[in-house]
Amino acid sequence: MNPPNSTLTAVPGFRVGHWTDPVGLTGCTVVLCPDAGAVASASFLGPSPGTREGVLLSPEKKVERVHALLLTGGSAFGLAAASGVVRVLEERGVGHETPWARVPLVPAAVVYDLGVGDPRARPGEREGEMAARAASDAPVERGRVGAGTGATAGKYLGQEFTVPGGLGSVCVERHGVRVGALAVVNPIGDVLDERGGVLAGPGVGPGAVAFTPGDVESTTLVAVVTEHTLTKNDARRLADAAQTALGRVIHPSHTFWDGDSAFVLSACTLPPADPMLLGALVQEAVCASVRDAVRMARG
C-alpha cells in the first residue's frame, strides 16, 4: 500500500510537474491550479528577485486569479519556460476570459543556478511545456529535481563550501484546515533544523573568513496553497507570513544577495479558515518544506 500523500498535491485541485536536467544541473517546476484559477498574491524580499508577472499579484491590481505558477532555474533566462506553460493551458482552454481569447496567467520566479552545472543549460519554452504536461496530483517528487536541481545552500564561504539545497514539499493539517507548501532552497545562508542547529551549510556564519559573494545570486522560492477562501489581500498577508517563516529556518535570510519570493494560492473551494490558525500553518509548512528540501537533496 502506498503511503498517504503528505506533499502540496494533497490539497485538491493543485498538480505539480517537473522538468529536470541532471547533467546541466538545472530544471523547472510547475504548479497547476484548478481550471478556474486560484486567488493569488506574493511577497518579494531581498534586492534580487527574478520574476514574471509579479506586479500582477499586488492586491490593488485588477486580476485576482492565476492559472499556474512556474518556479525555475536558469536565472532570468529560465523565465522563458513560462511561455511553454501558457501554451499547454491555452490548449486546454484554461485562462482569463477576454473578448477574443482565454489568456492563461502564469507568474514565475527564478533561482540563480548558473554556476553549479553548465551555465548554458537553462529551462526554456519547451522545458516549461514538458513540466506542465507532467503535472499530476501524485505526491511531489523532491530533492534534486525540477527547479531544485541546481539549488545550493550556505554560499557565504564561497562556492566550494556549498551543499545541495533541493526542492521540498509538505502538507500540514490541523482542525480541518489544510495547507500545502513547496520550497526551492537556494539561500546564501545556512538552513536550520527544528532546534535551531545547522541542517545545511558551513555553520560558522558570515564573517568567519573574508569573503564577499559578489555576483553569486541566492534565492529561496516558496509556493503555498490552500482550499480555504482568501481575498487577494488575505493571500498577500499570508505571503508575508511565509517570508517571516524563511527568516526562522534560514540564517541569515533576505540578504543583499537574496531575492526570496513567496506565493500564496487559494482554490477558494472551502469557507474561510480561522486566520490565526491559517497563518500558523503557513509558517509551519514553509519551515518544514525548506527542511524537507535539504534532507531529500542529500539523497
Side-chain angles (χ1 to χ4, degrees), residues 203-292:
V204 295
V209 298
F211 173 73
T212 300
D215 288 335
V216 175
E217 302 291 346
S218 305
T219 293
T220 295
L221 309 178
V222 174
V224 177
V225 305
T226 184
E227 303 158 87
H228 296 279
T229 297
L230 300 175
T231 66
K232 211 172 176 186
N233 279 314
D234 295 334
R236 173 56 190 269
R237 283 190 288 269
L238 290 174
D240 289 339
Q243 292 280 19
T244 301
L246 289 181
R248 288 164 45 187
V249 73
I250 295 171
H251 179 73
S253 65
H254 309 124
T255 72
F256 184 81
W257 296 275
D258 288 288
D260 300 324
S261 301
F263 300 85
V264 172
L265 305 97
S266 172
C268 295
T269 53
L270 291 180
D274 176 79
M276 183 172 290
L277 174 59
L278 191 58
L281 290 179
V282 166
Q283 293 193 326
E284 180 181 330
V286 168
C287 289
S289 63
V290 170
R291 293 176 179 129
D292 180 64

Side-chain angles (χ1 to χ4, degrees), residues 15-256:
R15 293 157 286 163
V16 172
H18 302 305
W19 173 82
T20 301
D21 180 351
V23 177
L25 296 181
T26 191
C28 61
T29 296
V30 174
V31 179
L32 293 186
C33 303
D35 287 351
V39 171
S41 192
S43 176
F44 306 105
L45 292 182
S48 303
T51 65
R52 162 187 157 132
E53 293 188 345
V55 173
L56 180 74
L57 300 174
S58 298
E60 72 275 11
K61 302 307 179 186
K62 179 182 177 182
V63 173
E64 288 196 344
R65 291 180 180 251
V66 303
H67 305 96
L69 173 66
L70 171 75
L71 307 179
T72 181
S75 189
F77 300 107
L79 291 172
S83 295
V85 183
V86 169
R87 176 189 297 166
V88 172
L89 293 175
E90 183 183 28
E91 284 180 6
R92 297 176 180 176
V94 174
H96 176 67
E97 189 70 57
T98 74
W100 293 277
R102 288 184 181 271
V103 181
L105 300 177
V106 183
V110 304
V111 297
Y112 188 97
D113 56 5
L114 301 181
V116 178
D118 182 350
R120 297 166 298 178
R122 308 150 185 170
E125 184 171 348
R126 175 176 173 271
E127 289 73 24
E129 179 180 345
M130 293 171 67
R133 295 196 188 283
S136 77
D137 60 2
V140 178
E141 185 182 0
R142 295 123 63 214
R144 302 190 76 179
V145 297
T149 304
T152 54
K155 302 179 179 68
Y156 56 84
L157 294 187
Q159 195 71 19
E160 64 271 26
F161 292 96
T162 63
V163 297
L167 180 148
S169 185
V170 303
C171 183
V172 297
E173 183 173 359
R174 195 169 302 127
H175 304 299
V177 178
R178 181 164 43 189
V179 169
L182 184 152
V184 178
V185 181
N186 193 50
I188 199 166
D190 297 316
V191 175
L192 306 182
D193 65 18
E194 290 81 356
R195 298 186 177 182
V198 175
L199 182 62
V204 295
V209 298
F211 173 73
T212 300
D215 288 335
V216 175
E217 302 291 346
S218 305
T219 293
T220 295
L221 309 178
V222 174
V224 177
V225 305
T226 184
E227 303 158 87
H228 296 279
T229 297
L230 300 175
T231 66
K232 211 172 176 186
N233 279 314
D234 295 334
R236 173 56 190 269
R237 283 190 288 269
L238 290 174
D240 289 339
Q243 292 280 19
T244 301
L246 289 181
R248 288 164 45 187
V249 73
I250 295 171
H251 179 73
S253 65
H254 309 124
T255 72
F256 184 81

